[in-house]
Amino acid sequence: MTKQMPKDKILRQRAEELMASRTAREFGQLNEDQALRLIHELEVHQIELELQNEELIQARASEKNISEKYVNLFDFAPTGFFNLSEEGNILEVNLSGAKIIGKDRESLRNRRFSLFISEASKENFNKFFARVFSGESKEHCEIRLIKDNEESGFFDITGIANEDRTQCFMTVENITDRKRAKILEENREIFSRLFNEAPLSYQSLDCEGNILNVNQVWLETFGYTREEVIGMSFCDLLTPAYAALFRKQFQVFKSQGKIHFEIEMFCKNGEKRLFSYFGRIGLTADGLFKQTHCILEDITSQRQIEEIRQFNFLLLKKAGETAKFGGWIMDLPSKKVTWSDEVAAIHEMPTGYSPALEEGISFYKAESQKKIIAVLDNCIEKGIAFDEELELVTAKNKAIWVRTTGEAVKDKNGNIYKIQGSFQNISERKKTEEALRESEERFESFMNFLPAAAFIKDRSGKLVYINPNLKSLFNWRDPLGLLTSDLLSPEMANQMIEDDNRVMANGPEIFHERIVGSKGGVYLFETHKFPFRKSNGEVLLGGISIDETERVHAELRLKESEALLNELNATKDKLLSIIGHDLRNPFNAIVGFSNLLVDDLKERNYDDAEKYANVILGSAQKAMNLLSNLLEWSLSQTNRIIFNPQNVNIADLAGEVIQIEEESANLKSIRLNKNLPADIYAHADNHMVATILRNLISNAIKYTNKGGTVSINISQNEEEVVVEVTDDGLGIPEDNLDKLFLINHNLATIGTNHEKGTGLGLILCKEFVEKHGGKIGAESGVGKGSKFYFTLPLKAAPIFE
């Protein structure tokens, strides 16, 4: 019924309006029943109003109780509650929040919350705070707060903004215990992993010596399963003697708290192994015995190695006695030297004798004393090891040679505290070396003065020795280790290898060998080859070659005399022709045009002066070139020209010659194309190569039409430098190409500007190229232009082709 009543204020208002609207007249007209009903209605209505008023009072009291209830919940909640402005200032905080920060609630209001956050957490909090005001959902963050100027525990904060984004509501929960529990759990997992994955066997025993736990390595080492060993007495795994020892030691273990000794144990398959046993007591919180923790390190192999080392020591001692080899140690604090028995025996002192440092040094001869003192000082002060061969005098006044070595030994702090080394009597070896040295000196003396070339090869054909005569004869630098095929042309190498193999199989034989050098020289030898065997059984091939080149060449020179005389006659005729005709023409032109030039100058007629001067200059240049060629050719013919080969940069040299010839090219509007790669060097005479280039380039210009092209190209391959001079001029008939470089054929041709030639330049080029061991040639055809080329060696020519 109460729930269906209208609100009290509305009812009261309607009642008052109803009462005011009724007039006394209306009431006066009511009969008694109507009046009674009206009174009854008013009384009921009054009661309803009173009931509604009581409910209103009760409702207001209830709202006050509820409000106080929520205030208490806010203040006394275990979680900190904060109401922050959008600037991060604290608007409201509950008692738990103030307690977390360690400040009074009133002092926290309007203070910035970030003041109470650790420096390490501020960046994380600022990002969280920005997300709260930019999103619509709850945001979380983990921070550390500052309490009493120190970092407190770990806290989880949750925040959400209100609808108008002017405030945020934030809870702060202390999660330090949860965090520590998690870390403890992680540590427990790490310990468990380390326990099972540790490379050593681990076990724990109870106070009676029964196995509580073992790790995986323990199970793999002994071959048991975990179920088989848990609860087993550890003594059951030990050999009887070591089980009794362990029982005694285990009692000591429980009283002292730690133990370390060696034990012998059985594996499941019955194999016995030796272990180093390390153990410590684990106690409860109140200090009572809880369990033991033990590590078992398998030292079976180590013990076997020690036994082998002991055996090797005895073996080394025996070897030292046989090889007169021993050891020594010097203790630095005491300067006491300890000798092995063999070192004492080498000094001819009694067994077991060891001297002081000064006495040990006194055995050495004077020069050796200086050296041993110096190396010992370096070893003591700087840790520098030494290995020296020295002379000493024994106690019985016997001079001997010894080899002594030494090295520094450092302690765990890196300080040198002793020197140790070896000591050996090497007198016999020294005598052998001296005898060998004398034998080698006699052999070298014999070979050095032997008037023949001598060599030794191994079975594969590699040179293992040559005497100076053979080396100087062919200008060899370092041929040892090279094969026959490395030094000779394939044809000669194959023949020589066949001869060598026959001698190795059948015995000594004499050969007449003809070897062509890389410079065109022919060497003729009478070679005596023979096999011989070294002391180690290796068979080598020896050879002595007598040079017969000069004798054979003398015979050849007699036969060549007639041909030479014929060539000299032809040379004479050529020379007379050049002097009588070719040299006269330029001078006639010079004299004639000089007269014309003088006459014009007298009459002050300067119109043709430049033309006459150019003709005179051109004729003078032609005469000069011709005279230069004549001079160089005559010197060459009389062997008076000096041939001085050296490393020459061909590109630089060609550039200099081209620069000189450019004026002649410009007069005919000829383009000079140059391909001159840098750093191409040839082993050549600088002056001769310049003469070759000058003649070939000037010829190309001479026989090229106006506006034509002359190209100069330089390249190299593995063996030589190639120079090419190409033009697009008149060309040469193909049947005349092989006569260009012969002196007894006059193939001089008129140039495109009526220039005359003698042919001497090409003959001179051929002689100079051949002096270098190179080749010269030409390719041409009438109207197709010409290409002249020549080659030069990259470096000093090897001995054989």
Side-chain angles (χ1 to χ4, degrees), residues 182-243:
K182 183 179 179 182
I183 294 172
L184 185 62
E185 182 61 28
E186 290 174 352
N187 289 340
R188 186 179 292 111
E189 291 178 3
I190 292 171
F191 174 78
S192 177
R193 193 179 307 118
L194 289 173
F195 175 78
N196 286 306
E197 297 178 5
L200 295 175
S201 299
Y202 174 88
Q203 68 181 23
S204 59
L205 308 178
D206 63 16
C207 61
E208 300 299 327
N210 299 317
I211 297 174
L212 294 175
N213 198 4
V214 295
N215 68 347
Q216 188 61 33
V217 174
W218 193 102
L219 296 172
E220 293 172 357
T221 301
F222 295 100
Y224 289 95
T225 64
R226 192 177 300 276
E227 291 74 15
E228 290 174 327
V229 296
I230 300 302
M232 180 188 293
S233 172
F234 182 64
C235 289
D236 293 343
L237 299 172
L238 305 179
T239 59
Y242 281 94

Side-chain angles (χ1 to χ4, degrees), residues 242-440:
Y242 281 94
L245 175 64
F246 179 78
R247 292 188 183 95
K248 180 188 294 185
Q249 292 291 335
F250 194 68
Q251 298 305 316
V252 177
F253 182 18
K254 290 194 289 184
S255 63
Q256 294 183 350
K258 60 181 179 180
I259 193 171
H260 179 203
F261 65 103
E262 293 181 0
I263 56 175
E264 191 175 50
M265 299 179 62
F266 286 111
C267 296
K268 186 175 181 180
N269 61 7
E271 179 186 4
K272 287 193 297 185
R273 301 190 69 80
L274 192 65
F275 292 87
S276 181
Y277 186 95
F278 300 84
R280 282 193 176 273
I281 292 291
L283 302 177
T284 60
D286 53 2
L288 298 177
F289 181 96
K290 183 178 181 182
Q291 60 183 336
T292 68
H293 303 280
C294 310
I295 294 175
L296 294 151
E297 182 182 5
D298 191 341
I299 60 172
T300 308
S301 299
Q302 178 182 331
R303 185 54 52 84
Q304 292 171 350
I305 291 172
E306 290 176 356
E307 292 174 356
I308 293 171
R309 186 183 295 118
Q310 182 65 22
F311 173 77
N312 288 341
F313 173 77
L314 296 174
L315 190 63
L316 180 62
K317 184 177 179 183
K318 188 66 177 176
E321 294 171 356
T322 305
K324 298 182 180 180
F325 177 90
W328 59 273
I329 298 174
M330 181 175 70
D331 180 68
L332 295 186
S334 65
K335 297 293 184 180
K336 177 70 174 177
V337 179
T338 303
W339 284 352
S340 70
D341 292 343
E342 187 53 42
V343 175
I346 292 172
H347 286 80
E348 295 188 315
M349 296 296 289
T351 299
Y353 179 81
S354 291
L357 177 60
E358 292 76 10
E359 183 186 357
I361 292 175
S362 68
F363 282 93
Y364 291 95
K365 289 187 176 181
E367 287 301 317
S368 293
Q369 279 190 21
K370 294 178 182 177
K371 184 175 288 188
I372 192 64
I373 290 171
V375 297
L376 274 174
D377 287 344
N378 277 335
C379 193
I380 292 169
E381 295 171 7
K382 303 176 183 178
I384 301 174
F386 61 87
D387 186 343
E388 299 291 341
E389 294 183 357
L390 306 168
E391 284 186 284
L392 62 77
V393 179
T394 69
K396 296 181 180 180
N397 206 31
K398 179 181 177 182
I400 62 171
W401 277 91
V402 296
R403 177 188 178 189
T404 182
T405 67
E407 63 180 1
V409 180
K410 299 180 181 179
D411 59 22
K412 62 182 180 180
N413 297 320
N415 300 316
I416 300 172
Y417 71 97
K418 70 177 179 180
I419 307 294
Q420 64 185 19
S422 63
F423 201 85
Q424 184 180 17
N425 186 341
I426 59 171
S427 298
E428 292 300 322
R429 196 198 80 195
K430 280 288 186 179
K431 289 179 182 178
T432 303
E433 289 177 353
E434 182 64 22
L436 180 61
R437 186 184 61 79
E438 292 176 356
S439 174
E440 289 177 347

Side-chain angles (χ1 to χ4, degrees), residues 508-563:
E509 192 171 339
I510 299 174
F511 300 91
H512 292 279
E513 298 174 330
R514 179 178 181 274
I515 301 176
V516 180
S518 62
K519 295 182 180 180
V522 178
Y523 299 87
L524 302 172
F525 296 99
E526 182 181 287
T527 302
H528 297 251
K529 296 183 181 180
F530 50 89
F532 66 95
R533 189 180 300 274
K534 291 174 62 177
S535 58
N536 62 3
E538 182 183 3
V539 178
L540 301 175
L541 175 74
I544 297 176
S545 298
I546 301 169
D547 186 4
E548 293 188 321
T549 307
E550 197 59 38
R551 178 182 63 80
V552 174
H553 283 182
E555 294 176 357
L556 292 174
R557 283 195 293 271
L558 290 175
K559 295 179 180 179
E560 292 171 354
S561 295
E562 184 179 355

Side-chain angles (χ1 to χ4, degrees), residues 644-680:
N644 181 28
Q646 52 188 310
N647 282 337
V648 177
N649 189 315
I650 301 300
D652 289 350
L653 183 58
E656 294 172 5
V657 175
I658 291 169
Q659 189 174 5
I660 295 171
E661 298 295 332
E662 277 182 344
E663 181 61 30
S664 298
N666 291 337
L667 290 174
K668 298 176 69 174
S669 301
I670 291 173
R671 186 171 65 255
L672 296 177
N673 287 340
K674 296 168 283 185
N675 179 23
L676 311 176
D679 298 329
I680 293 185

Side-chain angles (χ1 to χ4, degrees), residues 7-20 45 49:
K7 298 293 184 181
D8 57 335
K9 290 183 179 180
I10 297 173
L11 290 174
R12 181 177 295 277
Q13 183 178 358
R14 289 180 62 191
E16 288 176 354
E17 291 175 353
L18 181 61
M19 289 295 294
H45 186 62
L49 290 174

Side-chain angles (χ1 to χ4, degrees), residues 659-773:
Q659 189 174 5
I660 295 171
E661 298 295 332
E662 277 182 344
E663 181 61 30
S664 298
N666 291 337
L667 290 174
K668 298 176 69 174
S669 301
I670 291 173
R671 186 171 65 255
L672 296 177
N673 287 340
K674 296 168 283 185
N675 179 23
L676 311 176
D679 298 329
I680 293 185
Y681 288 82
H683 190 72
D685 183 287
N686 192 77
H687 176 70
M688 289 186 179
V689 175
T691 300
I692 298 167
L693 288 167
R694 188 185 73 240
N695 278 285
L696 294 183
I697 295 172
S698 64
N699 281 351
I701 295 171
K702 183 188 301 181
Y703 298 111
T704 299
N705 293 307
K706 288 185 177 181
T709 301
V710 173
S711 300
I712 301 95
N713 181 69
I714 297 176
S715 62
Q716 73 177 57
N717 53 40
E718 293 180 356
E719 299 178 353
E720 58 193 5
V721 175
V722 180
V723 181
E724 297 175 343
V725 179
T726 307
D727 64 68
D728 55 5
L730 301 177
I732 304 167
E734 292 185 14
D735 56 353
N736 285 342
L737 288 177
D738 56 350
K739 302 173 185 177
L740 287 172
F741 304 101
L742 299 177
I743 196 166
N744 54 358
H745 288 81
N746 189 359
L747 296 177
T749 307
I750 302 300
T752 58
N753 209 20
H754 305 292
E755 304 98 327
K756 293 183 179 179
T758 63
L760 181 61
L762 289 179
I763 295 169
L764 190 60
C765 289
K766 179 175 183 295
E767 291 190 8
F768 283 177
V769 168
E770 289 179 348
K771 270 190 178 295
H772 288 82

